[in-house]
Amino acid sequence: DDTGRGIAASRNIEVDEVVLSIPLARLMTLRNLHPSLRSVLSSVNLKLNATQTLALHLLYERSLGVHSAWFHYIQTLPRSYDTLEWWRPCDIKELQVSHLILAAHKRRQEVRTQYRAIASLLVAHPDLFSEKSFSFWDYVWAYSTIFTRSCFFDVNGTAQENSVGALVPFLDMLNHSHDPVADSGYDSVSQSYTIKVRQPYSIGQQVFIHYGGHGNAALLEFYGFVLPSNPHSNVYIPIDPMLPASLSPRVHTWTSVKQRLGLQLGLDSSAVNGFQAHRGSIPWTIVAALRILYHPRPEDLSVANLSDDVPCDKETEISVFGTLYLAAKALLSSLPTSIEEDRFMLQSGVSSVHTRLAISIRLEEKEIIDSIMEQTKSKLQQLKLS
């Protein structure tokens, strides 16, 4: 299949079977730093975050070669990644969507900032941190390894101070499913990190875990891949540019409507700035906010009106869904290429992995926006015929 590396069942696996159990001592965490590294870090007045410290831990163990307790695990790690900090500016530009481009620049800047913060430490201890093993791109590799493969868990109860960030051998070879298909976590009885499956597997089937309910934007940023037809993907569609200036004074009506109906709608002055749209799904909260804004007498609205059970008057409904349609249309029109052009580029074949990822995710976002346009357009046609 096209999931890259993964782990397949070597025998039939039943529901609730533990398929992976890694002792705490075999996990790479901040608790088991090499004594030489721990000694240096404790002797300097340098505040490093968990990512920086774990990255140094990983790079130092890699520099030890066969003498590292994690030598065989480190040998299994990829030599490069497809997360955004590895992308060239020309590939980032291909993302087209502003929030994705911003995320890419933020990642690149973050890794540079982190490396600059440890540069003095590396220079001061060349015997421990050789330039050959601790260059900027070595640090990028370690940073990416941690973000794509580490997990956080609690080793003692639920206290925040007991939370441990760790690289777990073998766990990071299991690929992601957008459905929760396994339970994972630290087992205090066996003092191991375990994976228990929620579904049966036949011999030869790939075994999956669930990284979380991430849309493709998050999967690309933190893991370097996207999933076809990801149900968790969404797009932010700005609304406020579409609103008539005459509606601004009516914002204060939200508070009175919420108080009268005893609702916690989360509606405030930013409620109509925009909304997160899933494929073909408009959040009821944005519809409720626009109904309050457009209705001639918002004080007459009921809970049913705001929860979409009972539509408002025809004029209000046309204003609400007309605004949503225009907002989606404006966003889609602002992007340099069309849905058809993106599909053609993918079908024609793109040699660069990063360019292909960029086209895939921007196409998905355009299709989500288009689905909102189709939904609102259909609603408007129904209203005008009623």
Side-chain angles (χ1 to χ4, degrees):
D1 54 35
D2 59 357
T3 57
R5 306 192 314 170
I7 293 180
S10 60
R11 60 171 176 80
N12 293 335
I13 299 173
E14 303 298 328
V15 175
D16 290 335
E17 269 200 67
V18 173
V19 297
L20 183 73
S21 181
I22 306 295
L24 182 60
R26 302 307 303 160
L27 275 53
M28 186 177 286
T29 74
L30 302 186
R31 296 185 172 205
N32 52 25
L33 296 178
H34 191 281
S36 298
L37 180 60
R38 184 180 298 278
S39 175
V40 167
L41 293 180
S42 62
S43 68
V44 296
N45 184 24
L46 189 63
K47 292 184 178 180
L48 302 180
N49 61 32
T51 302
Q52 290 169 305
T53 308
L54 196 55
L56 285 174
H57 184 11
L58 175 59
L59 288 174
Y60 185 74
E61 291 295 336
R62 189 178 72 164
S63 72
L64 295 177
V66 296
H67 301 293
S68 169
W70 286 279
F71 171 73
H72 294 292
Y73 166 61
I74 293 172
Q75 291 299 107
T76 70
L77 296 173
R79 296 295 177 256
S80 64
Y81 295 90
D82 294 318
T83 42
L84 297 175
E85 60 272 13
W86 291 81
W87 287 37
R88 300 172 301 171
C90 60
D91 292 324
I92 293 174
K93 186 178 179 181
E94 290 295 334
L95 289 166
Q96 294 186 356
V97 185
S98 60
H99 74 92
L100 295 173
I101 293 173
L102 182 63
H105 288 306
K106 182 179 177 181
R107 292 278 291 199
R108 285 164 59 88
Q109 183 58 43
E110 181 180 343
V111 71
R112 289 191 191 98
T113 300
Q114 287 196 10
Y115 186 73
R116 281 199 296 266
I118 65 170
S120 60
L121 177 69
L122 303 180
V123 172
H125 298 274
D127 55 323
L128 206 63
F129 308 118
S130 70
E131 186 176 346
K132 180 181 178 181
S133 301
F134 292 84
S135 70
F136 170 72
W137 282 106
D138 288 318
Y139 187 81
V140 173
W141 171 81
Y143 172 95
S144 304
T145 299
I146 291 162
F147 268 94
T148 59
R149 316 182 96 71
S150 64
C151 59
F152 286 82
F153 58 91
D154 202 334
V155 296
N156 280 319
T158 58
Q160 183 65 34
E161 61 267 22
N162 293 320
S163 181
V164 173
L167 291 171
V168 184
F170 297 108
L171 170 69
D172 57 11
M173 295 187 72
L174 289 160
N175 284 316
H176 167 69
S177 166
H178 56 67
D179 295 317
V181 291
D183 296 310
S184 61
Y186 181 70
D187 180 8
S188 59
V189 176
S190 65
Q191 295 190 336
S192 300
Y193 193 90
T194 63
I195 299 289
K196 181 188 293 185
V197 296
R198 294 186 183 182
Q199 66 182 47
Y201 289 92
S202 301
I203 186 169
Q205 271 191 304
Q206 185 174 177
V207 179
F208 290 92
I209 57 175
H210 181 60
Y211 297 178
H214 301 304
N216 277 337
L219 289 178
L220 179 60
E221 179 178 357
F222 295 107
Y223 300 101
F225 68 89
V226 298
L227 288 178
S229 305
N230 187 339
H232 301 291
S233 290
N234 58 72
V235 180
Y236 181 78
I237 300 179
I239 290 290
D240 50 343
M242 301 297 113
L243 295 175
S246 58
L247 293 180
S248 297
R250 304 192 62 186
V251 169
H252 73 278
T253 61
W254 292 339
T255 302
S256 61
V257 170
K258 287 193 296 180
Q259 289 175 343
R260 179 175 61 81
L261 299 178
L263 298 175
Q264 297 296 322
L265 295 178
L267 303 180
D268 54 30
S269 59
S270 64
V272 290
N273 287 353
F275 66 99
Q276 295 288 348
H278 292 267
R279 192 180 298 268
S281 175
I282 300 171
W284 71 272
T285 49
I286 188 63
V287 175
L290 290 174
R291 280 175 174 164
I292 293 172
L293 211 54
Y294 277 115
H295 198 277
R297 291 180 56 83
E299 62 272 15
D300 294 339
L301 292 173
S302 67
V303 173
N305 292 139
L306 299 184
S307 62
D308 209 26
D309 292 335
V310 179
C312 294
D313 62 281
K314 182 176 179 178
E315 184 177 344
T316 297
E317 294 297 283
I318 288 176
S319 296
V320 168
F321 289 96
T323 296
L324 294 172
Y325 174 80
L326 290 175
K329 182 180 179 180
L331 180 57
L332 190 60
S333 300
S334 70
L335 300 174
T337 57
S338 67
I339 289 175
E340 292 73 20
E341 288 170 328
D342 286 350
R343 287 174 179 165
F344 177 78
M345 281 186 270
L346 287 177
Q347 291 168 359
S348 300
V350 180
S351 57
S352 165
V353 172
H354 296 168
T355 302
R356 186 167 66 251
L357 284 169
I359 297 173
S360 296
I361 194 167
R362 80 191 191 202
L363 172 59
E364 177 190 56
E365 297 217 351
K366 291 171 188 176
E367 289 173 341
I368 292 174
I369 300 168
D370 186 62
S371 74
I372 299 301
M373 287 179 60
E374 289 300 315
Q375 185 179 359
T376 51
K377 182 179 179 181
S378 175
K379 184 74 173 179
L380 287 168
Q381 289 173 342
Q382 292 172 20
L383 286 167
K384 290 173 181 178
L385 291 174
S386 63

